[in-house]
Amino acid sequence: MSTPYRLKTWDEYVAAHRRSIDDPEAFWDDVATNYSWRKPWTSVLEWDFVKPEVKWFGGGQLNITENCLDRHLATRGDKTAIIWEANDIDHPSKHITYRELHAQVCRMANVLKKHGVKKGDRVCLYMPMVPSLAISVLACARIGAIHSVVFGGFSANSLVDRINDSQCSVVITSDGIRRGAKNIPAKTVVDEALPSCPTIGCVLVSKCTDDAVPMQAGRDHWIEDELKAVDAICPAEPMDSEDPLFILYTSGSTGKPKGVVHTCGGYMVYAGYSFANVFQCEENDVFWCTADIGWITGHSYIIYGPLLNGATSLMFAGIPTYPDATRFWQVIEKHKVNQFYTAPTAIRSLMAAGHDLPSRFAMPSLKLLGTVGEPINEEAWHWYHEQVGKKRCAVVDTWWQTETGGIMLSGLGDITPMKPAHAGLPLPGIRTILVDQQGNELHGEAEGYLCIDFPWPSVIRTTWGDHERCRLNYFAQYPGRYFTGDGAKRDADGFFRIIGRVDDVINVSGHRIGTAEVENAIDEHPDVVESAVVGYPHDIKGQGIYAFVICDHVRTDKDALRKEVIATVERIIGKIARPDKIQFVSGLPKTRSGKIMRRILRKVAEGEMNALGDTSTLLDPGVVEEIKAGKGMIA
Ligand code: WT7
């Protein structure tokens, strides 16, 4: 018996999931045969979640770009691979065919080679959402270099940490980044970072905004000039299944961001398989994922997933509210988008901009709507389903993580039933379970900690340079299991509803921010002695950042101080981590052993002053009274 690659009915889903549990190796062996391999694998899976060590398709060799590009040339050479829609509405959009994309990736790969980049080297990308970003990502993969994309909203300081952690040898950037009405001087940020990055010998700069930027002779090169001087043929480097494909940094509950490592074979199989089944694209459909390629969603569902399936992927350089809050609907209408995949934060902000705005646009092409990144509340879910999808479109709420590489829980197109605000069922091959605090598995209808009990092809392999950190973060809490860090509920039908993070991670607009990271940044302000950061419910962003800050002397100019603290966070991490609220306090609620009781701070931030629970174990219960009283003064 074999399982179809692309499932088309509920019965096929049930059968595929059953088989993936009963005989995972046979199941994945079948799925993987849908790709082109240089050398077949000799072992489907070897694993040990205690070490942890996971190997998929061992002995096999492949190059993911052959699967994304070369494989399609005979049948889809003239099909559009990427539609690019610019930030500015009057800027012409671009259609890039598979043949053109193939040639451009090969050229860029040759540019990288010319500058000495070899298999296994790390390349950092700090770029706007332009085709040359997707091309550069694929060019790295073509020659076996490991890409590390850093989102344009991160500061020079964050860039330094990421470049140095993985010892990148090259940075690819652009003159500037235009997002909405804002301008990020990308090249200037890179210039600011590089004096602290001894491993970087070369900067490749793409001309995107025509901003004048200084070029350092010998180090900096214009990509457009370099491309003219190289060949459009570049053989793909054969990669072992378990060779790293990319590193992507993400925040955790402690310390600095960690570099999540994904590998060539398993990531390819799962990104492709999950895309095919969740979004159910037909051959001539246009798929649009609104994420930035700086996040995993962009990696898996703008670049790799769609291209592996020969789909047409729309890439948008702008933001939902520029020039106004109808931009998404205009783009859907203009490019006849069939599948639209965005974040609850965007949905909530567009809903707030005018409930009936989508109705002004004809969007008959839409067949499926997806959400990702954070829990979607029922009101937003219904608005999306009714006002955007006109009740005709399936809505899939996709739950997954940077570490999972692809979607884990979701509806599959319209073949599985939908439940508002539920991420739904596990994909075939995914064994999600709930456990209690002690790690006992909970059965049936239950609420608990969400774990995954068995490897899937795109499970995180390691955190770059620090395997122990990977073990401690994901595999140590409940030995033998991957722990997601999320709490979830399962209903009587087996549908999951994600509650949210149970660790010290805040989810702001679908972006993961570590509270410890923000605290460390705030503490860099010369007047700050200590700080504690918690999340609180935010109407649009899902969660906002609330900071309690202790200073070493009383300053009366609280507004100026607040601005300075925000500027410090922007400098150390980037704009995405700026606190929404700052409360200056003289002490923090701590236990006798010195641990901050965040539970109390969370309640204060939520405004639930009378539900603080037991405060008798505090070193100084008086602190709580002061914090409660001061809360009224916060803007
Ligand atoms: C965390 C992962 C990979 C998606 C982009 C974010 C939260 C993600 C959902 C969802 C509820 C969700 C979880 C998860 N999350 N998708 N559909 N419903 N929560 O990736 O930055 O790695 O964050 O985002 O809390 O652990 P990420």
Side-chain angles (χ1 to χ4, degrees):
M1 186 190 79
S2 70
T3 316
Y5 174 75
R6 160 91 179 272
L7 307 166
K8 301 238 164 147
T9 63
W10 168 252
D11 289 345
E12 282 182 358
Y13 162 71
V14 172
H17 195 263
R18 183 76 265 150
R19 180 160 185 251
S20 76
I21 303 290
D22 293 344
D23 195 350
E25 294 198 16
F27 172 81
W28 287 115
D29 195 77
D30 269 3
V31 172
T33 53
N34 288 284
Y35 293 87
S36 106
W37 296 76
R38 286 288 188 92
K39 213 168 113 192
W41 55 96
T42 48
S43 132
V44 177
L45 171 65
E46 290 163 62
W47 70 290
D48 174 348
F49 263 5
V50 174
K51 283 183 182 167
E53 190 176 276
V54 180
K55 290 184 181 159
W56 280 95
F57 311 113
Q61 284 198 329
L62 73 146
N63 187 291
I64 195 167
T65 69
E66 288 187 330
N67 283 276
C68 288
L69 303 169
D70 306 57
R71 190 163 60 121
H72 304 307
L73 293 183
T75 50
R76 299 183 175 114
D78 297 321
K79 177 174 172 175
T80 301
I82 293 178
I83 300 175
W84 179 69
E85 172 73 20
N87 179 61
D88 291 322
I89 212 150
D90 50 7
H91 194 111
S93 44
K94 280 187 192 157
H95 284 66
I96 304 169
T97 66
Y98 272 92
R99 202 181 316 286
E100 288 162 347
L101 186 60
H102 177 263
Q104 293 186 32
V105 167
C106 287
R107 278 188 196 280
M108 187 64 196
N110 283 329
V111 169
L112 290 172
K113 273 189 182 170
K114 188 186 137 196
H115 289 281
V117 179
K118 288 190 271 315
K119 177 175 181 170
D121 290 352
R122 276 79 58 209
V123 175
C124 175
L125 288 78
Y126 185 75
M127 293 180 80
M129 285 286 288
V130 290
S132 60
L133 168 55
I135 291 164
S136 299
V137 162
L138 293 163
C140 290
R142 187 83 177 167
I143 61 171
I146 301 168
H147 54 79
S148 166
V149 185
V150 178
F151 175 60
F154 283 111
S155 67
N157 181 74
S158 291
L159 198 54
V160 169
D161 287 347
R162 286 157 174 78
I163 289 173
N164 289 344
D165 184 72
S166 48
Q167 311 239 298
C168 297
S169 57
V170 171
V171 183
I172 309 178
T173 188
S174 68
D175 41 5
I177 300 179
R178 218 72 90 215
R179 290 186 79 234
K182 295 208 181 91
N183 192 20
I184 303 167
K187 173 66 165 58
T188 309
V189 175
V190 170
D191 286 340
E192 221 178 288
L194 289 197
S196 312
C197 303
T199 55
I200 298 287
C202 166
V203 181
L204 299 171
V205 190
S206 180
K207 221 177 206 358
C208 297
T209 55
D210 284 328
D211 296 340
V213 293
M215 298 290 277
Q216 189 177 308
R219 186 195 73 179
D220 303 350
H221 310 271
W222 289 108
I223 291 176
E224 289 70 17
D225 295 341
E226 298 281 308
L227 287 172
K228 286 183 202 142
V230 293
D231 216 70
I233 295 169
C234 175
E237 184 74 30
M239 304 295 287
D240 288 343
S241 295
E242 285 298 332
D243 281 338
L245 173 65
F246 65 84
I247 304 171
L248 188 57
Y249 285 86
T250 186
S251 293
S253 42
T254 50
K256 289 193 171 179
K258 42 192 184 281
V260 172
V261 175
H262 284 290
T263 58
C264 295
Y267 175 82
M268 171 180 78
V269 169
Y270 199 75
Y273 182 73
S274 54
F275 177 83
N277 283 291
V278 170
F279 300 111
Q280 299 278 326
C281 296
E282 301 298 332
E283 184 63 43
N284 294 315
D285 283 355
V286 173
F287 173 83
W288 181 17
C289 165
T290 69
D292 192 286
I293 290 172
W295 311 111
I296 190 72
T297 310
H299 282 57
S300 299
Y301 302 112
I302 295 176
I303 302 181
Y304 290 117
L307 299 181
L308 285 166
N309 287 281
T312 298
S313 178
L314 194 151
M315 183 174 172
F316 174 45
I319 58 167
T321 49
Y322 181 80
D324 63 45
T326 63
R327 185 69 190 274
F328 274 2
W329 323 132
Q330 293 186 47
V331 174
I332 291 173
E333 192 177 53
K334 174 174 173 190
H335 295 291
K336 303 189 173 51
V337 171
N338 301 103
Q339 292 84 16
F340 177 64
Y341 188 33
T342 196
T345 291
I347 298 169
R348 286 189 294 262
S349 79
L350 297 180
M351 180 170 85
H355 270 247
D356 61 338
L357 285 181
S359 305
R360 300 192 195 162
F361 297 85
M363 300 187 278
S365 56
L366 280 177
K367 296 196 261 192
L368 175 138
L369 303 171
T371 77
V372 59
E374 38 172 335
I376 180 162
N377 48 309
E378 293 198 25
E379 190 193 358
W381 191 98
H382 285 292
W383 181 79
Y384 198 34
H385 183 232
E386 285 157 28
Q387 297 296 323
V388 182
K390 303 284 177 249
K391 297 191 185 168
R392 290 185 296 103
C393 301
V395 176
V396 295
D397 176 1
T398 68
W399 173 86
W400 57 298
Q401 309 179 297
T402 306
E403 296 85 347
T404 70
I407 296 166
M408 307 295 279
L409 289 171
S410 172
L412 304 185
D414 61 1
I415 71 180
T416 58
M418 10 179 220
K419 280 195 195 186
H422 282 70
L425 300 167
L427 264 66
I430 306 305
R431 290 195 203 173
T432 32
I433 65 162
L434 294 176
V435 300
D436 66 13
Q437 190 115 44
Q438 288 73 41
N440 304 306
E441 184 171 356
L442 304 169
H443 297 278
E445 240 181 299
E447 176 172 341
Y449 300 101
L450 185 63
C451 290
I452 303 164
D453 224 11
F454 193 85
W456 62 101
S458 57
V459 58
I460 177 176
R461 297 303 196 273
T462 190
T463 42
W464 185 264
D466 191 351
H467 192 63
E468 179 62 3
R469 196 159 171 211
C470 172
R471 189 184 72 80
L472 285 173
N473 258 295
Y474 309 105
F475 297 91
Q477 193 114 348
Y478 302 111
R481 292 176 172 147
Y482 169 86
F483 175 47
T484 64
D486 280 323
K489 273 186 189 168
R490 185 176 46 214
D491 70 11
D493 301 322
F495 279 59
F496 286 90
R497 181 179 189 142
I498 304 298
I499 298 165
R501 303 291 306 190
V502 294
D503 52 8
D504 291 323
V505 169
I506 320 181
N507 190 328
V508 183
S509 305
H511 300 145
R512 233 155 99 174
I513 315 258
T515 50
E517 253 179 275
V518 183
E519 289 163 5
N520 291 342
I522 293 174
D523 297 351
E524 292 282 315
H525 186 284
D527 293 353
V528 172
V529 178
E530 196 182 1
S531 61
V533 165
V534 295
Y536 71 97
H538 187 287
D539 285 348
I540 303 289
K541 301 183 195 181
Q543 279 190 299
I545 301 177
Y546 196 120
F548 297 87
V549 178
I550 306 177
C551 292
D552 63 0
H553 61 279
V554 176
R555 272 182 49 177
T556 45
D557 54 341
K558 288 281 187 295
D559 272 340
L561 181 56
R562 190 169 285 128
K563 285 190 185 124
E564 286 170 28
V565 169
I566 290 173
T568 307
V569 175
E570 290 184 356
R571 177 171 59 80
I572 306 279
I573 306 177
K575 282 205 164 47
I576 60 166
R578 55 183 291 164
D580 298 277
K581 294 188 179 179
I582 298 176
Q583 179 174 356
F584 295 103
V585 294
S586 63
L588 292 166
K590 288 188 178 173
T591 60
R592 291 194 180 85
S593 59
K595 205 169 168 281
I596 297 173
M597 289 188 80
R598 283 166 198 283
R599 173 177 61 79
I600 293 176
L601 296 177
R602 261 183 233 123
K603 288 287 175 203
V604 172
E606 284 166 17
E608 293 194 26
M609 304 298 183
N610 299 322
L612 299 186
D614 183 12
T615 55
S616 63
T617 55
L618 287 177
L619 189 61
D620 175 9
V623 163
V624 177
E625 293 312 313
E626 184 219 298
I627 292 177
K628 277 163 68 174
K631 158 96 180 171
M633 294 152 50
I634 302 308

